[in-house]
């Protein structure tokens, strides 16, 4: 295995539960009752696209930029102060770098928020490539997204491992011929068993699956 492609939220940062409720809490603050299917509808979208979809669906008065600014402030505060890094993250990254593997961050979160995490926990020095939602045209629901990452390093799908908490991304990575590692602590309950079936190894967090990486 040459390339290890890590998601961020819900994978090595415990932020996914907050993200899952961010849009719902925002709508409720505007006295809007969201449909149960809303999060399923926007789960694969970027923050901007998810807001645009929600604004149109619920006829919100605020502009996309106004909603985005409010949400950035909320989530940014938590990235700076309350979200935690999985304790095994740095050990895993160090090991992979020492073993001359390529370590990639691939996240649907936008650059301004990603940089808060990378700077706070001093992670940039471990990364060979950062793929951030507002800097690429493809999304994780397209297998080509993952194939392009492998191609960047001259690696085939079979030479890449994808570490994810999202079912749609794991399915895409599998379609690209890649191994997947499922992180399930903050995954919707209905997706957990499917992720386990599709992944070569799975666990509640990186700490539970760190032997997968340390044996490489």
């Amino acid at each position: 295995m040459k390339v290890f492609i890590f998601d961020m939220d819900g994978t090595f940062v415990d932020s996914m539960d907050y993200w899952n409720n961010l849009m719902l809490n925002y709508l409720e603050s505007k006295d809007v009752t969201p449909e149960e299917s809303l999060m399923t509808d926007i789960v694969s979208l970027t923050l901007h696209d998810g807001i645009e979809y929600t604004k149109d669906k619920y006829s919100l008065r605020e502009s996309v930029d106004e909603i985005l600014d409010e949400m950035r402030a909320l989530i940014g505060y938590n990235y700076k102060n309350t979200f935690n890094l999985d304790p095994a993250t740095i050990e895993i990254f160090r090991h992979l770098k020492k073993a001359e593997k390529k370590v990639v961050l691939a996240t649907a979160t936008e650059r301004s928020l990603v940089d808060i995490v990378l700077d706070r926990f001093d992670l940039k020095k471990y990364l060979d490539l950062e793929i951030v939602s507002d800097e690429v045209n493809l999304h994780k629901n397209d297998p080509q997204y993952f194939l392009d990452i492998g191609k960047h390093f001259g690696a085939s799908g079979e030479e890449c491992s994808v570490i994810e908490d999202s079912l749609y991304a794991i399915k895409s990575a599998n379609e690209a011929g890649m191994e997947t590692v499922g992180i399930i602590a903050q995954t919707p309950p209905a997706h957990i068993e499917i992720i386990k079936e599709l992944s070569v190894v799975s666990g509640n967090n990186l700490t539970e699956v760190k032997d997968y990486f340390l044996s490489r």
Side-chain angles (χ1 to χ4, degrees):
M1 203 64 65
K2 292 181 178 179
V3 183
F4 291 80
I5 304 167
F6 288 83
D7 174 51
M8 185 176 80
D9 297 289
T11 299
F12 63 80
V13 178
D14 63 351
S15 49
M16 203 63 229
D17 283 346
Y18 190 91
W19 272 110
N20 286 341
N21 291 304
L22 182 61
M23 191 70 76
L24 302 180
N25 291 340
Y26 179 83
L27 289 173
E28 289 172 0
S29 76
K30 303 297 180 182
D31 295 321
V32 175
T33 302
E35 297 176 7
E36 291 184 5
S37 62
L38 175 62
M39 294 313 300
T40 301
D41 294 339
I42 66 174
V43 67
S44 65
L45 302 179
T46 64
L47 178 58
H48 183 280
D49 291 347
I51 290 171
E52 196 169 60
Y53 174 90
T54 305
K55 172 181 166 56
D56 291 343
K57 186 176 182 66
Y58 295 99
S59 302
L60 300 176
R61 293 181 180 180
E62 294 80 4
S63 70
V64 170
D65 286 342
E66 287 171 336
I67 299 171
L68 191 56
D69 286 344
E70 285 187 54
M71 290 190 172
R72 278 191 184 123
L74 288 169
I75 200 80
Y77 174 85
N78 284 279
Y79 276 127
K80 289 177 182 176
N81 298 285
T82 66
F83 295 150
N84 298 303
L85 185 72
D86 186 285
T89 305
I90 291 177
E91 180 184 5
I92 290 168
F93 284 4
R94 281 177 177 164
H95 173 81
L96 293 175
K97 293 298 292 180
K98 186 176 181 180
E100 299 184 341
K101 308 297 184 181
K102 300 301 181 183
V103 179
V104 178
L105 171 66
T107 175
T109 302
E110 61 184 54
R111 170 60 68 182
S112 63
L113 299 173
V114 170
D115 282 345
I116 293 172
V117 174
L118 299 185
D119 291 342
R120 178 184 171 198
F121 297 112
D122 194 23
L123 298 178
K124 281 182 177 285
K125 61 189 177 185
Y126 301 112
L127 301 175
D128 296 288
L129 182 65
E130 300 167 26
I131 304 295
V132 178
S133 66
D134 50 348
E135 298 173 356
V136 295
N137 294 321
L138 292 173
H139 298 294
K140 291 184 181 182
N141 54 5
D142 186 342
Q144 194 62 46
Y145 174 97
F146 294 105
L147 289 170
D148 285 351
I149 294 174
K151 186 177 179 180
H152 180 84
F153 297 105
S156 65
E158 291 77 12
E159 295 174 305
C160 299
S161 176
V162 175
I163 302 87
E164 268 284 353
D165 69 315
S166 298
L167 177 58
Y168 74 92
I170 286 175
K171 285 182 174 179
S172 292
N174 283 167
E175 288 177 28
M178 299 182 180
E179 277 192 359
T180 52
V181 176
I183 306 300
I184 57 176
Q186 297 186 322
T187 295
H191 295 174
I192 289 175
E193 290 305 317
I194 305 172
I195 287 176
K196 286 181 177 180
E197 291 175 7
L198 295 176
S199 303
V200 294
V201 63
S202 61
N204 286 311
N205 47 53
L206 279 185
T207 299
E208 288 190 3
V209 299
K210 73 175 183 177
D211 287 347
Y212 167 85
F213 303 99
L214 300 184
S215 64
R216 303 289 157 163

